[in-house]
Amino acid sequence: FSNIEDIYLPKAQDFYTYYVISHYAESYLGWITEPLHNYCFGRGVTGSKMNLDKFERYCTQANVISALKRFSETQKISQYQAILQRYYEQWITECLKIWKNDLPKVNSVEGLQLLYQYWGVDKTLQFLAKNFWFQRSDIAHKLENYPQIDLKTKDIKTVAFYYYHFSIGGVQRVISLLVPMFVKMGYKVVLITDSEPEENDYVFPDNVIRATICNHETTNAKNIGNRFTSWAELMEAYHFDIVLYNAWTSNLLMWDTLFLKGYGIPVIVHAHNVFSMNVNKMGHMFFEFARTFTLTDGIVTLSQADKVFWDSFNANVHHILNPVSPELHNANAAKWGSKSLIWVARVSDEKQPWMIFDIMAKVIQDVPDAHLYLLGNFDDPKWEKLSQDKGIAQNVEFCGMIHNVNDFYEKATVHVVTSRYEGFLMTLLEAMAHGLPTVAFEMPNLTLAKKERGVISVDMNDTTSAAVEVVKLLKERDHWESVSSLAKNSYEQVKAYDIETAWENVLRGNNPPCAISQDCKDMLHTLINHYEIGFRFKEKQLRGLRQTPEQFMMSKYEQDTVRSKGRRVMIYILEKLLGGVYCWEMHGFRYTVKHAIKKLVKRFIH
């Protein structure tokens, strides 16, 4: 006992004592007999209702590990690492489960700080992710009162931008314009990506630092510690003061935010699309991000509608327009008469590129010599085949992904947008700079996409009405010039916008006023809660297939694939089998067979 440290250990002190005694023991004897002592579990620290003081006692088990490590190293015990690692994992997991399931929500933030204090930020979050990877929404909801870092107390000199990569894309283009602006404003900038710089990356100023982090695509519950190590190395190397997190839909957002804030680094999320984007996918992301965003230190939105929504979940929300490329200020004006349409976007589901083929097929019925420029990654041969099937192959030009699109805007007559949803739409701003009218499916959240701004909106996916509006612009010069003038005026308004001051307000912690009432907040929180209840109910219906939430969501996303159809067949068969078992138990074998035959005859014959 003289080798036992004089320290206070309210939990697992018996393990500490036994470890030391067993080290000095010369023999060990075990036997099977009646219990010598009837241990009443729950009378000590393990009993009674959980509170913050009692939770801290559980956390002190970390001190037992440290004490035994010191004892083992002093006594030169060679195999202690494996033993202590097993108990380390057992005890930290126990603490995390108690924190999540038993500690009252009102104590959640203080409880997390205790976990950080005893187990460390890295290990706490690493094991939290390992045990609750698919319960991010629950964790974020439990931490909804997590305090924001007061940016007014921060002397921000170095700004880190994070996104997956900086090759061609809408978000990447915005960042390529923001970075030079931040450099001009006097900030040091670090660009962080998941992958090494590529040949088609946007060009950044020479004094901007490029760095990479552990890739989000290969990060999971088992290896997320590597991601945290990457963040720690970057913090040590570049000493950035804030992170502008542009990967706002990443499933690592919550883990990255908690880790960075655990080390005092504020996180501002730049939401590059509309708040309701994930409702289109009918998945868990809608309620998960509504709760995850409460943990961040601020949100930058692209529209006033988005600000109103996020004001319900975060106390620091800014509405800031995307920057305007300086080269657009002197853009040559488009001219009427070319009978050309232009479609510019990344080829993805939300952009609905197949719709432009349908629109074009209807346009050439009235304007046979109309021409369509397609600027995007239409590398798949299916797009050329689609143009042939629609009878427009001679009217379509596949231009590929290019950086400089100004020449195409200049020679076009109409800009067409077929997106299901957008957050800002840089191509719309580019078209306006050239005075080019736009025909788009209606997106009420887009301030720029209004009729008085040079945009003609039609009902979502109404390709017939879209074609009618395109034809009218191609044929009627006065109408075209009227809409073109509105588009040019809209661009001048955006051009005059003071974006530098807007971003300075973000970095200095000048919070804008909330644009939503408490009643509206209650309404939106109710909507989120009920959406989750409905999603969880559907999730439970598939419990028989033992699907994870992500696998369940994948089946929702892939409704048109063979794999998805196979899943629906499996679900149908499973439901019928379970129903058959229940019928057998209630009515017997003979009745069940007779009833099943009757059902089959009705379904497949009648």
Side-chain angles (χ1 to χ4, degrees):
F1 279 90
S2 62
N3 289 291
I4 292 178
E5 294 182 27
D6 186 13
I7 54 177
Y8 177 62
L9 300 175
K11 185 79 169 64
Q13 72 282 11
D14 48 356
F15 176 76
Y16 177 39
T17 306
Y18 177 75
Y19 186 100
V20 175
I21 291 174
S22 63
H23 170 66
Y24 289 108
E26 296 180 358
S27 62
Y28 177 91
L29 176 64
W31 68 94
I32 301 175
T33 183
E34 293 298 322
L36 300 179
H37 175 66
N38 186 19
Y39 181 76
C40 297
F41 183 82
R43 288 186 178 176
V45 68
T46 52
S48 71
K49 189 176 180 180
M50 184 56 61
N51 55 45
L52 206 57
D53 291 337
K54 184 177 175 183
F55 179 66
E56 184 171 7
R57 295 185 204 175
Y58 276 89
C59 292
T60 60
Q61 292 176 111
N63 294 339
V64 175
I65 298 294
S66 299
L68 287 178
K69 182 178 180 182
R70 292 191 294 270
F71 173 80
S72 300
E73 291 174 347
T74 301
Q75 301 299 322
K76 294 182 172 51
I77 302 174
S78 59
Q79 296 180 337
Y80 77 91
Q81 291 95 338
I83 298 171
L84 296 187
Q85 181 62 27
R86 179 161 61 92
Y87 280 93
Y88 183 97
E89 294 182 7
Q90 175 183 320
W91 291 344
I92 190 174
T93 300
E94 177 186 40
C95 289
L96 289 169
K97 289 182 177 179
I98 291 172
W99 173 82
K100 181 180 178 298
N101 301 322
D102 301 322
L103 190 67
K105 184 178 179 180
V106 68
N107 300 130
S108 295
V109 174
E110 295 168 289
L112 183 64
Q113 296 302 324
L114 286 174
L115 288 166
Y116 287 170
Q117 176 185 333
Y118 285 95
W119 300 98
V121 174
D122 304 51
K123 291 298 183 182
T124 295
L125 296 177
Q126 183 179 335
F127 279 87
L128 191 64
K130 181 179 179 181
N131 287 278
F132 305 110
W133 183 260
F134 293 115
Q135 299 179 47
R136 296 183 289 269
S137 175
D138 295 339
I139 293 171
H141 192 42
K142 193 172 180 70
L143 290 170
E144 65 179 351
N145 294 320
Y146 199 94
Q148 291 184 328
I149 296 175
D150 187 359
L151 296 178
K152 292 181 179 179
T153 64
K154 304 284 291 187
D155 183 17
I156 296 177
K157 296 180 180 179
T158 303
V159 178
F161 284 79
Y162 169 68
Y163 194 61
Y164 308 125
H165 56 86
F166 290 133
S167 56
I168 294 176
V171 175
Q172 299 91 318
R173 188 165 192 186
V174 172
I175 296 173
S176 73
L177 297 173
L178 286 176
V179 167
M181 185 188 81
F182 272 69
V183 172
K184 176 186 173 185
M185 292 162 63
Y187 293 101
K188 186 177 179 180
V189 175
V190 181
L191 290 176
I192 302 173
T193 57
D194 291 346
S195 55
E196 295 291 336
E198 301 174 359
E199 185 178 354
N200 61 343
D201 279 6
Y202 281 98
V203 178
F204 296 97
D206 294 336
N207 56 345
V208 172
I209 300 170
R210 289 294 302 269
T212 57
I213 193 171
C214 189
N215 198 305
H216 80 285
E217 292 182 343
T218 58
T219 299
N220 53 49
K222 295 180 180 179
N223 63 16
I224 195 169
N226 297 333
R227 175 85 170 190
F228 295 151
T229 299
S230 294
W231 275 119
E233 291 173 349
L234 293 175
M235 288 189 293
E236 177 67 23
Y238 304 115
H239 305 286
F240 45 80
D241 303 303
I242 193 170
V243 172
L244 301 184
Y245 205 100
N246 291 272
W248 72 290
T249 59
S250 171
N251 64 343
L252 299 183
L253 172 60
M254 188 190 76
W255 306 117
D256 286 345
T257 297
L258 289 175
F259 180 83
L260 290 164
K261 292 188 65 168
Y263 285 96
I265 304 295
V267 176
I268 302 293
V269 174
H270 196 172
H272 288 273
N273 215 311
V274 61
F275 68 89
S276 57
M277 182 185 78
N278 286 300
V279 179
N280 282 267
K281 303 172 183 178
M282 295 303 292
H284 63 100
M285 297 301 222
F286 181 53
F287 59 81
E288 179 177 316
F289 284 118
R291 288 170 177 163
T292 299
F293 277 32
T294 64
L295 305 178
T296 67
D297 301 295
I299 305 171
V300 174
T301 72
L302 300 177
S303 73
Q304 187 62 25
D306 285 275
K307 173 175 166 52
V308 170
F309 179 83
W310 290 118
D311 269 336
S312 181
F313 302 95
N314 195 291
N316 182 25
V317 183
H318 299 255
H319 167 213
I320 302 179
L321 299 181
N322 276 336
V324 177
S325 175
E327 64 185 28
L328 289 178
H329 295 341
N330 300 314
N332 294 326
K335 298 179 180 179
W336 181 83
S338 69
K339 299 181 182 179
S340 297
L341 287 69
I342 181 174
W343 187 96
V344 188
R346 180 184 72 257
V347 175
S348 58
D349 287 345
E350 73 272 13
K351 306 291 185 182
Q352 303 189 121
W354 54 88
M355 291 288 184
I356 187 61
F357 290 82
D358 194 33
I359 293 171
M360 190 62 183
K362 295 173 180 177
V363 167
I364 63 173
Q365 294 176 10
D366 290 306
V367 187
D369 56 342
H371 189 76
L372 171 63
Y373 296 109
L374 288 174
L375 278 68
N377 51 324
F378 290 91
D379 301 327
D380 195 316
K382 70 179 182 182
W383 298 112
E384 187 172 347
K385 184 178 183 304
L386 180 59
S387 69
Q388 294 171 353
D389 293 343
K390 291 287 185 179
I392 59 173
Q394 301 301 317
N395 303 81
V396 175
E397 182 176 342
F398 294 94
C399 305
M401 293 287 286
I402 58 176
H403 279 288
N404 187 5
V405 297
N406 289 331
D407 292 343
F408 291 92
Y409 283 117
E410 290 174 19
K411 57 187 178 182
T413 307
V414 182
H415 172 229
V416 182
V417 175
T418 58
S419 299
R420 190 161 57 241
Y421 54 84
E422 292 285 354
F424 182 80
L425 199 55
M426 286 291 286
T427 59
L428 182 56
L429 189 62
E430 293 167 350
M432 289 176 171
H434 293 273
L436 187 63
T438 297
V439 174
F441 294 142
E442 187 173 15
M443 291 175 278
N445 64 294
L446 288 183
T447 306
L448 290 178
K450 305 295 182 182
K451 186 175 181 180
E452 66 274 12
R453 291 183 174 273
V455 179
I456 300 174
S457 297
V458 299
D459 289 343
M460 182 59 63
N461 296 345
D462 185 354
T463 56
T464 300
S465 296
V468 168
E469 295 297 342
V470 169
V471 169
K472 187 177 181 181
L473 288 167
L474 294 178
K475 286 186 171 183
E476 300 179 16
R477 182 168 185 169
D478 290 344
H479 175 56
W480 183 92
E481 289 180 346
S482 175
V483 180
S484 173
S485 177
L486 291 172
K488 192 67 176 177
N489 290 337
S490 296
Y491 178 78
E492 292 300 322
Q493 293 176 25
V494 175
K495 179 181 174 182
Y497 176 70
D498 189 355
I499 187 172
E500 291 188 11
T501 298
W503 275 103
E504 281 287 4
N505 287 331
V506 174
L507 300 184
R508 292 177 181 175
N510 297 327
N511 295 8
C514 179
I516 188 170
S517 69
Q518 186 58 49
D519 288 339
C520 288
K521 286 186 179 182
D522 294 341
M523 175 192 69
L524 291 176
H525 280 269
T526 302
L527 172 65
I528 294 294
N529 291 338
H530 287 184
Y531 181 94
E532 181 178 14
I533 290 170
F535 173 82
R536 297 301 185 198
F537 176 76
K538 288 293 185 182
E539 184 183 24
K540 287 179 180 178
Q541 289 183 325
L542 299 179
R543 184 178 295 172
L545 295 180
R546 297 183 180 179
Q547 289 185 310
T548 64
E550 267 64 17
Q551 289 170 328
F552 169 61
M553 285 315 306
M554 190 176 294
S555 68
K556 284 292 184 185
Y557 292 156
E558 300 176 356
Q559 290 293 324
D560 297 326
T561 66
V562 174
R563 187 179 179 190
S564 177
K565 292 175 182 177
R567 283 186 179 137
R568 295 201 297 276
V569 171
M570 288 174 61
I571 294 169
Y572 176 79
I573 293 174
L574 179 64
E575 288 175 344
K576 295 306 176 185
L577 287 174
L578 292 175
V581 171
Y582 177 80
C583 186
W584 189 350
E585 293 175 346
M586 296 297 294
H587 304 291
F589 175 79
R590 194 172 286 180
Y591 175 90
T592 302
V593 172
K594 183 180 178 180
H595 187 68
I597 292 173
K598 184 178 179 181
K599 284 278 189 179
L600 288 171
V601 170
K602 183 178 180 180
R603 180 172 182 83
F604 295 107
I605 296 180
H606 298 299

